[in-house]
Amino acid sequence: MMSGIDGGNCILSSMAKTRVESNMIDGAEVVGTKGSYIVTFKGNAAEWEDKSIVLSSSRQPYEPRIFKSLDGAIAELTRIGLNEASVKIIENDK
């Protein structure tokens, strides 16, 4: 198991790409609700201290990156090198 940035569970796209190329990450899940999606990873290096590794941005590397659309999240996963991802939509409490 490997941590993300500074011992946390957030990783940058470049770190995720390296782990995908090394077969340490082999899948991803996009989780969220309309306008607020995060990417979590699956694989033998996709957890740290019982938490899933999540994608972060270089502007806020210690917080999960929030995508406004599913298309944006899937496009980023394609750039990272993943060809498959599951999607979990969470309903808003109204």
Side-chain angles (χ1 to χ4, degrees):
M1 302 251 202
M2 294 176 63
S3 71
I5 299 171
D6 197 28
N9 68 321
C10 294
I11 62 174
L12 299 170
S13 293
S14 59
M15 296 168 74
K17 185 173 186 169
T18 301
R19 293 181 191 192
V20 167
E21 291 169 352
S22 301
N23 295 319
M24 297 170 73
I25 291 176
D26 57 15
E29 182 177 48
V30 181
V31 181
T33 187
K34 185 176 181 180
S36 180
Y37 301 98
I38 64 169
V39 174
T40 62
F41 293 102
K42 301 185 180 302
N44 63 359
E47 282 190 1
W48 182 251
E49 296 181 354
D50 298 326
K51 294 180 185 175
S52 295
I53 297 289
V54 295
L55 187 63
S56 65
S57 71
S58 58
R59 289 186 182 189
Q60 295 177 321
Y62 305 107
E63 297 177 20
R65 180 175 177 181
I66 298 174
F67 292 89
K68 293 183 179 181
S69 70
L70 280 172
D71 289 342
I74 298 299
E76 186 62 25
L77 289 173
T78 302
R79 282 190 283 278
I80 289 170
L82 289 171
N83 297 322
E84 293 184 21
S86 62
V87 176
K88 183 176 181 180
I89 305 297
I90 301 170
E91 291 187 41
N92 286 336
D93 293 333
K94 291 183 180 180

Coordinates of all heavy atoms in Angstrom, one line a residue:
M1 N 0.8 -1.2 0.0 CA 0.0 0.0 0.0 C 0.9 1.2 0.0 O 1.9 1.3 0.6 CB -0.9 0.0 1.2 CG -1.8 -1.1 1.4 SD -3.4 -0.6 1.0 CE -4.3 -1.9 1.9
M2 N 0.4 2.3 -0.7 CA 1.1 3.5 -0.8 C 0.1 4.6 -0.5 O -1.0 4.6 -0.9 CB 1.7 3.7 -2.1 CG 2.8 2.8 -2.5 SD 3.4 3.0 -4.2 CE 4.1 4.6 -4.1
S3 N 0.6 5.6 0.3 CA -0.2 6.8 0.6 C -0.2 7.7 -0.6 O 0.6 7.6 -1.5 CB 0.3 7.5 1.8 OG 1.5 8.2 1.6
G4 N -1.0 8.7 -0.5 CA -1.0 9.8 -1.5 C -0.1 10.9 -1.0 O 1.0 10.6 -0.4
I5 N -0.5 12.1 -1.3 CA 0.4 13.3 -1.0 C 0.5 13.4 0.6 O -0.5 13.4 1.3 CB -0.2 14.5 -1.6 CG1 -0.3 14.4 -3.1 CG2 0.5 15.8 -1.1 CD1 -1.1 15.5 -3.8
D6 N 1.7 13.5 1.0 CA 2.0 13.8 2.5 C 1.3 12.8 3.4 O 0.8 13.2 4.4 CB 1.6 15.3 2.8 CG 2.2 15.8 4.1 OD1 3.3 15.3 4.4 OD2 1.6 16.6 4.7
G7 N 1.3 11.6 3.0 CA 0.7 10.5 3.9 C -0.8 10.5 3.9 O -1.4 9.8 4.8
G8 N -1.5 11.2 3.0 CA -2.9 11.2 3.0 C -3.5 10.3 2.0 O -2.8 9.5 1.4
N9 N -4.8 10.4 1.7 CA -5.4 9.5 0.7 C -5.7 10.2 -0.6 O -6.5 9.6 -1.4 CB -6.6 8.8 1.3 CG -7.8 9.8 1.6 OD1 -7.6 10.9 2.0 ND2 -9.0 9.3 1.3
C10 N -5.2 11.4 -0.8 CA -5.4 12.1 -2.1 C -4.2 12.0 -3.0 O -3.1 12.1 -2.5 CB -5.7 13.6 -1.8 SG -7.2 13.9 -0.9
I11 N -4.4 11.7 -4.3 CA -3.3 11.7 -5.2 C -3.6 12.6 -6.4 O -4.8 12.8 -6.8 CB -3.0 10.3 -5.7 CG1 -4.1 9.6 -6.4 CG2 -2.5 9.4 -4.5 CD1 -3.8 8.2 -7.0
L12 N -2.6 13.1 -7.0 CA -2.7 13.8 -8.3 C -2.8 12.9 -9.5 O -2.5 11.7 -9.4 CB -1.4 14.7 -8.4 CG -1.2 15.7 -7.3 CD1 0.2 16.3 -7.5 CD2 -2.3 16.8 -7.3
S13 N -3.3 13.5 -10.6 CA -3.4 12.7 -11.8 C -2.1 12.0 -12.2 O -2.1 10.9 -12.6 CB -3.9 13.6 -12.9 OG -5.2 14.0 -12.7
S14 N -1.0 12.7 -12.1 CA 0.3 12.2 -12.5 C 0.7 11.0 -11.6 O 1.2 10.0 -12.1 CB 1.4 13.2 -12.4 OG 1.5 13.8 -11.1
M15 N 0.4 11.1 -10.3 CA 0.6 9.9 -9.4 C -0.3 8.7 -9.8 O 0.2 7.6 -9.8 CB 0.4 10.3 -8.0 CG 1.3 11.4 -7.5 SD 0.8 12.1 -5.9 CE 1.2 10.8 -4.8
A16 N -1.5 9.0 -10.1 CA -2.5 8.0 -10.5 C -2.0 7.3 -11.8 O -2.1 6.1 -11.9 CB -3.9 8.6 -10.6
K17 N -1.6 8.1 -12.7 CA -1.1 7.6 -14.0 C 0.0 6.6 -13.8 O 0.1 5.5 -14.4 CB -0.8 8.7 -15.0 CG -0.4 8.2 -16.3 CD -0.2 9.4 -17.3 CE 0.0 8.8 -18.7 NZ -0.1 9.9 -19.7
T18 N 1.0 7.0 -13.0 CA 2.1 6.1 -12.7 C 1.6 4.8 -12.0 O 2.1 3.7 -12.4 CB 3.1 6.8 -11.7 OG1 3.5 8.0 -12.4 CG2 4.3 5.9 -11.4
R19 N 0.7 4.9 -11.1 CA 0.2 3.7 -10.5 C -0.6 2.8 -11.4 O -0.6 1.6 -11.3 CB -0.6 4.0 -9.2 CG 0.2 4.6 -8.2 CD -0.5 5.0 -6.9 NE 0.3 5.8 -6.0 CZ 0.0 6.1 -4.8 NH1 -1.1 5.6 -4.3 NH2 0.8 6.8 -4.0
V20 N -1.3 3.4 -12.4 CA -2.1 2.6 -13.4 C -1.1 1.9 -14.3 O -1.2 0.7 -14.6 CB -3.0 3.6 -14.2 CG1 -3.5 2.8 -15.5 CG2 -4.2 4.0 -13.4
E21 N 0.0 2.6 -14.7 CA 1.0 2.0 -15.6 C 1.7 0.9 -14.8 O 2.2 -0.1 -15.5 CB 2.0 3.0 -16.0 CG 1.4 4.0 -17.0 CD 2.3 5.2 -17.3 OE1 3.3 5.4 -16.6 OE2 2.0 6.0 -18.2
S22 N 1.8 0.9 -13.5 CA 2.5 -0.1 -12.7 C 1.5 -1.2 -12.3 O 1.9 -2.1 -11.5 CB 3.1 0.5 -11.5 OG 4.1 1.5 -11.9
N23 N 0.2 -1.1 -12.7 CA -0.8 -2.1 -12.4 C -1.1 -2.1 -10.9 O -1.6 -3.1 -10.3 CB -0.5 -3.5 -12.8 CG -0.5 -3.6 -14.3 OD1 -1.3 -3.0 -15.0 ND2 0.5 -4.3 -14.9
M24 N -0.9 -1.0 -10.2 CA -1.2 -0.8 -8.8 C -2.6 -0.4 -8.6 O -3.3 -0.6 -7.6 CB -0.2 0.1 -8.1 CG 1.2 -0.4 -8.1 SD 2.4 0.9 -7.6 CE 2.1 0.9 -5.9
I25 N -3.1 0.4 -9.6 CA -4.5 0.8 -9.7 C -5.1 0.2 -10.9 O -4.5 0.3 -12.0 CB -4.6 2.3 -9.7 CG1 -4.2 2.9 -8.4 CG2 -6.0 2.7 -10.1 CD1 -4.2 4.4 -8.3
D26 N -6.2 -0.5 -10.8 CA -6.8 -1.1 -12.0 C -8.2 -0.7 -12.3 O -8.9 -1.3 -13.2 CB -6.6 -2.6 -11.9 CG -7.3 -3.2 -10.7 OD1 -8.1 -2.5 -10.0 OD2 -7.0 -4.4 -10.4
G27 N -8.8 0.2 -11.5 CA -10.1 0.6 -11.7 C -10.4 1.9 -10.9 O -9.7 2.3 -10.1
A28 N -11.6 2.4 -11.2 CA -12.0 3.6 -10.6 C -13.6 3.7 -10.5 O -14.3 2.9 -11.2 CB -11.6 4.9 -11.3
E29 N -14.0 4.5 -9.5 CA -15.5 4.7 -9.4 C -15.7 6.2 -9.3 O -15.0 6.9 -8.5 CB -15.9 4.0 -8.1 CG -17.4 4.1 -7.9 CD -17.9 3.4 -6.6 OE1 -17.3 3.5 -5.6 OE2 -18.9 2.7 -6.8
V30 N -16.7 6.7 -10.0 CA -17.1 8.1 -9.9 C -18.3 8.1 -9.0 O -19.3 7.4 -9.3 CB -17.4 8.6 -11.3 CG1 -17.8 10.1 -11.2 CG2 -16.2 8.5 -12.3
V31 N -18.2 8.9 -7.9 CA -19.3 8.9 -6.9 C -19.7 10.3 -6.8 O -18.9 11.2 -6.6 CB -18.8 8.4 -5.6 CG1 -19.9 8.4 -4.6 CG2 -18.2 7.0 -5.7
G32 N -21.1 10.5 -6.7 CA -21.6 11.8 -6.4 C -23.0 12.1 -6.9 O -23.7 11.1 -7.1
T33 N -23.3 13.3 -6.9 CA -24.6 13.8 -7.3 C -24.4 14.9 -8.4 O -23.3 15.3 -8.6 CB -25.4 14.3 -6.1 OG1 -26.7 14.6 -6.5 CG2 -24.8 15.5 -5.5
K34 N -25.5 15.3 -9.0 CA -25.4 16.2 -10.1 C -24.6 17.5 -9.7 O -24.9 18.1 -8.7 CB -26.8 16.7 -10.5 CG -26.8 17.6 -11.7 CD -28.2 17.9 -12.1 CE -28.2 18.8 -13.4 NZ -29.5 19.2 -13.8
G35 N -23.5 17.7 -10.5 CA -22.6 18.8 -10.2 C -21.5 18.6 -9.2 O -20.8 19.6 -8.9
S36 N -21.4 17.5 -8.6 CA -20.4 17.2 -7.6 C -20.0 15.8 -7.6 O -20.6 14.9 -6.9 CB -21.0 17.6 -6.2 OG -20.1 17.4 -5.2
Y37 N -19.0 15.4 -8.3 CA -18.5 14.1 -8.5 C -17.1 14.0 -8.0 O -16.3 14.9 -8.3 CB -18.6 13.6 -9.9 CG -20.0 13.6 -10.5 CD1 -20.5 14.7 -11.2 CD2 -20.9 12.6 -10.2 CE1 -21.8 14.8 -11.7 CE2 -22.2 12.7 -10.7 CZ -22.6 13.7 -11.4 OH -23.9 13.8 -11.9
I38 N -16.7 12.9 -7.3 CA -15.3 12.6 -7.0 C -14.9 11.3 -7.6 O -15.8 10.4 -7.8 CB -15.0 12.7 -5.5 CG1 -15.8 11.6 -4.7 CG2 -15.4 14.0 -4.9 CD1 -15.4 11.4 -3.3
V39 N -13.6 11.1 -7.7 CA -13.1 9.8 -8.3 C -12.4 9.1 -7.2 O -11.5 9.6 -6.6 CB -12.1 10.1 -9.5 CG1 -11.5 8.9 -10.0 CG2 -12.9 10.8 -10.6
T40 N -12.7 7.8 -7.0 CA -12.0 6.9 -6.1 C -11.4 5.8 -6.9 O -12.0 5.4 -7.9 CB -12.9 6.4 -5.0 OG1 -14.0 5.6 -5.6 CG2 -13.6 7.5 -4.1
F41 N -10.3 5.3 -6.4 CA -9.6 4.2 -7.2 C -9.7 2.9 -6.5 O -10.0 2.8 -5.3 CB -8.1 4.6 -7.3 CG -7.9 5.8 -8.2 CD1 -7.7 7.1 -7.6 CD2 -8.0 5.8 -9.5 CE1 -7.5 8.2 -8.4 CE2 -7.8 6.9 -10.3 CZ -7.6 8.1 -9.7
K42 N -9.5 1.9 -7.3 CA -9.6 0.5 -6.9 C -8.3 -0.2 -7.3 O -7.7 0.1 -8.3 CB -10.7 -0.3 -7.5 CG -12.1 0.4 -7.2 CD -13.2 -0.4 -7.7 CE -14.5 0.2 -7.4 NZ -14.8 0.4 -6.0
G43 N -7.8 -1.2 -6.6 CA -6.6 -1.9 -6.9 C -5.8 -2.2 -5.6 O -6.2 -1.8 -4.5
N44 N -4.6 -2.8 -5.8 CA -3.8 -3.2 -4.6 C -3.1 -2.0 -4.0 O -2.6 -2.1 -2.9 CB -2.8 -4.3 -5.0 CG -1.8 -3.9 -6.0 OD1 -1.9 -2.8 -6.5 ND2 -0.9 -4.8 -6.4
A45 N -3.1 -0.8 -4.6 CA -2.5 0.4 -4.0 C -3.6 1.5 -4.0 O -3.3 2.6 -4.2 CB -1.3 0.8 -4.8
A46 N -4.8 1.1 -3.7 CA -5.9 2.1 -3.8 C -6.6 2.4 -2.5 O -7.6 3.0 -2.4 CB -7.0 1.6 -4.8
E47 N -5.9 2.0 -1.4 CA -6.4 2.3 -0.1 C -5.3 2.7 0.8 O -4.1 2.3 0.6 CB -7.1 1.1 0.6 CG -8.5 0.8 0.1 CD -9.2 -0.2 0.9 OE1 -8.6 -0.7 1.9 OE2 -10.3 -0.5 0.6
W48 N -5.5 3.6 1.7 CA -4.5 4.1 2.7 C -5.3 4.3 4.0 O -6.2 5.1 4.1 CB -3.8 5.3 2.2 CG -2.8 5.8 3.2 CD1 -2.8 6.8 4.0 CD2 -1.5 5.1 3.4 NE1 -1.7 6.9 4.7 CE2 -0.8 5.8 4.4 CE3 -0.9 4.0 2.9 CZ2 0.4 5.5 4.9 CZ3 0.3 3.6 3.4 CH2 1.0 4.4 4.3
E49 N -4.8 3.6 5.0 CA -5.4 3.6 6.4 C -6.9 3.4 6.3 O -7.7 4.2 6.8 CB -5.0 4.9 7.0 CG -3.5 5.0 7.3 CD -3.1 6.3 8.0 OE1 -4.0 7.2 8.2 OE2 -1.9 6.4 8.4
D50 N -7.4 2.4 5.6 CA -8.8 2.0 5.4 C -9.6 3.1 4.7 O -10.8 3.1 4.9 CB -9.4 1.7 6.8 CG -8.7 0.5 7.4 OD1 -8.3 -0.4 6.7 OD2 -8.6 0.4 8.7
K51 N -9.0 3.9 4.0 CA -9.8 4.9 3.2 C -9.4 4.7 1.7 O -8.2 4.5 1.4 CB -9.4 6.3 3.6 CG -9.9 6.7 5.0 CD -9.5 8.2 5.3 CE -9.8 8.6 6.7 NZ -9.4 9.9 7.0
S52 N -10.3 4.9 0.8 CA -10.0 4.8 -0.6 C -9.2 6.0 -1.0 O -9.3 7.1 -0.5 CB -11.3 4.8 -1.4 OG -12.1 3.7 -1.2
I53 N -8.3 5.7 -2.0 CA -7.5 6.8 -2.6 C -8.4 7.6 -3.5 O -9.1 7.0 -4.3 CB -6.3 6.2 -3.3 CG1 -5.3 5.5 -2.4 CG2 -5.5 7.3 -4.1 CD1 -4.5 6.3 -1.5
V54 N -8.3 8.9 -3.4 CA -9.2 9.8 -4.2 C -8.3 10.7 -5.1 O -7.2 11.0 -4.7 CB -10.2 10.6 -3.4 CG1 -11.2 9.6 -2.7 CG2 -9.5 11.5 -2.4
L55 N -8.8 11.1 -6.2 CA -8.1 12.1 -7.1 C -8.2 13.5 -6.5 O -9.3 13.9 -6.1 CB -8.7 12.0 -8.5 CG -8.0 12.8 -9.6 CD1 -6.6 12.2 -9.8 CD2 -8.8 12.7 -10.8
S56 N -7.1 14.2 -6.5 CA -7.1 15.6 -6.1 C -6.6 16.5 -7.2 O -6.1 16.0 -8.2 CB -6.3 15.8 -4.8 OG -4.9 15.5 -5.1
S57 N -6.7 17.8 -7.0 CA -6.1 18.7 -8.0 C -4.9 19.3 -7.5 O -4.6 19.3 -6.3 CB -7.2 19.8 -8.3 OG -7.3 20.7 -7.2
S58 N -4.1 19.8 -8.4 CA -2.8 20.5 -8.0 C -3.1 21.7 -7.2 O -2.2 22.2 -6.4 CB -1.9 20.7 -9.2 OG -2.6 21.6 -10.1
R59 N -4.2 22.4 -7.4 CA -4.5 23.6 -6.6 C -4.9 23.3 -5.2 O -4.7 24.1 -4.3 CB -5.7 24.4 -7.3 CG -5.2 25.0 -8.6 CD -6.3 25.8 -9.2 NE -5.9 26.4 -10.5 CZ -6.5 27.3 -11.1 NH1 -7.6 27.7 -10.6 NH2 -6.0 27.7 -12.3
Q60 N -5.6 22.2 -5.0 CA -6.0 21.7 -3.6 C -5.6 20.3 -3.5 O -6.4 19.4 -3.5 CB -7.5 21.9 -3.4 CG -7.9 23.4 -3.5 CD -9.4 23.6 -3.3 OE1 -10.1 22.8 -3.9 NE2 -9.8 24.6 -2.6
P61 N -4.3 20.0 -3.3 CA -3.8 18.6 -3.3 C -4.2 17.8 -2.1 O -4.1 16.6 -2.1 CB -2.3 18.8 -3.4 CG -2.0 20.1 -2.8 CD -3.2 20.9 -3.2
Y62 N -4.7 18.4 -1.0 CA -5.1 17.6 0.2 C -6.6 17.4 0.3 O -7.1 16.9 1.3 CB -4.5 18.3 1.4 CG -3.1 18.6 1.3 CD1 -2.5 19.8 1.1 CD2 -2.2 17.5 1.4 CE1 -1.2 20.0 0.9 CE2 -0.8 17.7 1.2 CZ -0.3 18.9 1.0 OH 1.0 19.1 0.9
E63 N -7.3 17.8 -0.7 CA -8.8 17.6 -0.7 C -9.2 16.9 -2.0 O -8.6 17.1 -3.1 CB -9.5 18.9 -0.7 CG -9.2 19.7 0.6 CD -9.9 21.1 0.6 OE1 -10.8 21.3 -0.2 OE2 -9.4 21.9 1.3
P64 N -10.3 16.1 -2.0 CA -10.7 15.4 -3.2 C -11.1 16.5 -4.3 O -11.7 17.5 -4.0 CB -12.0 14.7 -2.8 CG -11.8 14.5 -1.3 CD -11.1 15.7 -0.8
R65 N -10.7 16.1 -5.5 CA -11.1 17.0 -6.7 C -12.6 16.8 -7.0 O -13.1 15.7 -7.1 CB -10.3 16.6 -7.9 CG -10.6 17.5 -9.1 CD -9.6 17.1 -10.2 NE -10.0 17.9 -11.4 CZ -9.3 17.8 -12.5 NH1 -8.3 17.0 -12.7 NH2 -9.7 18.5 -13.6
I66 N -13.3 17.9 -7.1 CA -14.8 17.8 -7.4 C -15.0 18.2 -8.8 O -14.6 19.3 -9.3 CB -15.6 18.7 -6.4 CG1 -15.4 18.3 -5.0 CG2 -17.0 18.7 -6.8 CD1 -16.0 19.1 -3.9
F67 N -15.6 17.2 -9.6 CA -15.9 17.5 -11.0 C -17.4 17.9 -11.1 O -18.2 17.4 -10.4 CB -15.7 16.2 -11.8 CG -14.3 15.7 -11.9 CD1 -13.7 14.9 -11.0 CD2 -13.5 16.2 -13.0 CE1 -12.4 14.5 -11.1 CE2 -12.2 15.8 -13.1 CZ -11.6 14.9 -12.1
K68 N -17.6 18.8 -12.0 CA -19.0 19.3 -12.1 C -19.8 18.4 -13.0 O -21.0 18.5 -13.1 CB -19.0 20.8 -12.7 CG -18.4 21.8 -11.7 CD -18.5 23.2 -12.3 CE -17.9 24.1 -11.2 NZ -18.0 25.5 -11.7
S69 N -19.2 17.6 -13.8 CA -19.9 16.7 -14.7 C -19.3 15.3 -14.7 O -18.1 15.1 -14.4 CB -19.9 17.2 -16.1 OG -18.6 17.2 -16.7
L70 N -20.1 14.3 -15.1 CA -19.6 12.9 -15.2 C -18.6 12.9 -16.4 O -17.6 12.2 -16.3 CB -20.7 12.0 -15.5 CG -21.5 11.5 -14.3 CD1 -22.7 10.7 -14.8 CD2 -20.6 10.7 -13.4
D71 N -18.9 13.7 -17.5 CA -18.0 13.7 -18.6 C -16.6 14.2 -18.2 O -15.6 13.6 -18.7 CB -18.5 14.6 -19.7 CG -19.8 14.0 -20.4 OD1 -20.0 12.8 -20.3 OD2 -20.5 14.8 -21.1
G72 N -16.5 15.2 -17.4 CA -15.2 15.7 -17.0 C -14.4 14.6 -16.2 O -13.2 14.4 -16.4
A73 N -15.1 13.9 -15.3 CA -14.5 12.9 -14.5 C -14.0 11.7 -15.4 O -12.9 11.3 -15.2 CB -15.4 12.4 -13.4
I74 N -14.8 11.3 -16.3 CA -14.5 10.2 -17.2 C -13.3 10.6 -18.1 O -12.4 9.8 -18.4 CB -15.7 9.7 -18.0 CG1 -16.8 9.2 -17.0 CG2 -15.3 8.7 -19.0 CD1 -16.4 8.0 -16.2
A75 N -13.3 11.8 -18.6 CA -12.3 12.3 -19.5 C -10.9 12.3 -18.7 O -9.9 11.9 -19.3 CB -12.6 13.7 -20.0
E76 N -10.9 12.7 -17.4 CA -9.7 12.7 -16.6 C -9.2 11.2 -16.4 O -8.0 11.0 -16.5 CB -9.9 13.4 -15.3 CG -8.7 13.5 -14.5 CD -7.6 14.4 -15.2 OE1 -7.9 15.2 -16.0 OE2 -6.4 14.2 -14.8
L77 N -10.1 10.3 -16.2 CA -9.7 8.9 -16.1 C -9.1 8.4 -17.3 O -8.2 7.6 -17.3 CB -10.9 8.1 -15.6 CG -11.4 8.3 -14.2 CD1 -12.7 7.5 -13.9 CD2 -10.3 7.9 -13.2
T78 N -9.6 8.8 -18.5 CA -9.1 8.4 -19.8 C -7.7 8.9 -19.9 O -6.8 8.2 -20.4 CB -10.0 8.9 -20.9 OG1 -11.3 8.4 -20.8 CG2 -9.4 8.5 -22.3
R79 N -7.4 10.2 -19.5 CA -6.1 10.8 -19.6 C -5.1 10.0 -18.6 O -3.9 9.9 -19.0 CB -6.1 12.2 -19.2 CG -6.6 13.2 -20.3 CD -6.4 14.6 -19.9 NE -7.4 15.1 -19.0 CZ -8.6 15.5 -19.3 NH1 -9.0 15.5 -20.5 NH2 -9.4 16.0 -18.3
I80 N -5.6 9.5 -17.5 CA -4.8 8.8 -16.6 C -4.5 7.4 -17.1 O -3.4 6.9 -16.8 CB -5.6 8.7 -15.2 CG1 -5.6 10.0 -14.5 CG2 -4.9 7.6 -14.3 CD1 -6.5 10.1 -13.3
G81 N -5.3 6.9 -18.0 CA -5.0 5.6 -18.6 C -6.0 4.5 -18.3 O -5.8 3.3 -18.6
L82 N -7.1 4.8 -17.6 CA -8.1 3.8 -17.3 C -9.2 3.8 -18.3 O -9.6 4.9 -18.8 CB -8.7 4.1 -15.9 CG -7.8 3.9 -14.7 CD1 -8.5 4.4 -13.4 CD2 -7.5 2.4 -14.6
N83 N -9.6 2.6 -18.7 CA -10.6 2.5 -19.8 C -12.0 2.2 -19.2 O -13.0 2.2 -20.0 CB -10.2 1.4 -20.8 CG -8.9 1.8 -21.5 OD1 -8.7 3.0 -21.8 ND2 -8.1 0.8 -21.7
E84 N -12.1 1.8 -18.0 CA -13.4 1.4 -17.4 C -13.5 2.1 -16.0 O -12.5 2.3 -15.3 CB -13.4 -0.1 -17.2 CG -13.5 -0.9 -18.4 CD -13.7 -2.4 -18.1 OE1 -14.2 -2.7 -17.0 OE2 -13.4 -3.1 -19.0
A85 N -14.7 2.5 -15.7 CA -15.0 3.0 -14.4 C -16.5 2.7 -14.1 O -17.3 2.7 -15.0 CB -14.8 4.5 -14.4
S86 N -16.8 2.6 -12.8 CA -18.2 2.4 -12.4 C -18.6 3.8 -11.9 O -17.8 4.7 -11.6 CB -18.3 1.4 -11.3 OG -17.6 1.8 -10.2
V87 N -19.9 4.0 -12.0 CA -20.5 5.3 -11.6 C -21.6 5.0 -10.5 O -22.4 4.1 -10.7 CB -21.2 6.0 -12.8 CG1 -21.9 7.3 -12.4 CG2 -20.2 6.3 -13.9
K88 N -21.5 5.8 -9.4 CA -22.5 5.6 -8.3 C -23.1 7.0 -8.1 O -22.4 7.9 -7.7 CB -21.8 5.1 -7.1 CG -22.7 4.9 -5.9 CD -21.9 4.3 -4.7 CE -22.8 4.0 -3.6 NZ -22.1 3.5 -2.5
I89 N -24.4 7.1 -8.4 CA -25.1 8.4 -8.3 C -25.8 8.4 -6.9 O -26.5 7.4 -6.6 CB -26.1 8.6 -9.4 CG1 -25.5 8.5 -10.8 CG2 -26.9 9.9 -9.2 CD1 -24.5 9.5 -11.1
I90 N -25.5 9.4 -6.2 CA -26.1 9.6 -4.8 C -27.3 10.6 -5.0 O -27.0 11.7 -5.5 CB -25.1 10.0 -3.8 CG1 -24.0 9.0 -3.7 CG2 -25.8 10.2 -2.4 CD1 -22.8 9.4 -2.9
E91 N -28.4 10.2 -4.5 CA -29.6 11.1 -4.6 C -29.4 12.3 -3.6 O -28.9 12.1 -2.5 CB -30.9 10.4 -4.3 CG -31.2 9.4 -5.4 CD -32.6 8.9 -5.2 OE1 -33.5 9.6 -4.8 OE2 -32.8 7.7 -5.5
N92 N -29.9 13.5 -4.0 CA -29.9 14.6 -3.1 C -31.1 14.4 -2.1 O -32.1 13.9 -2.4 CB -30.2 15.9 -3.8 CG -29.0 16.4 -4.6 OD1 -27.9 16.1 -4.3 ND2 -29.3 17.2 -5.6
D93 N -30.8 14.8 -0.8 CA -31.9 14.7 0.2 C -32.7 16.0 0.0 O -32.2 17.1 0.2 CB -31.3 14.7 1.6 CG -30.6 13.3 1.8 OD1 -31.0 12.3 1.2 OD2 -29.7 13.3 2.7
K94 N -34.0 15.8 -0.3 CA -34.8 17.0 -0.5 C -36.0 16.9 0.5 O -36.5 15.9 0.8 CB -35.3 17.1 -1.9 CG -34.2 17.4 -2.8 CD -34.7 17.6 -4.2 CE -33.6 18.0 -5.2 NZ -34.0 18.1 -6.5

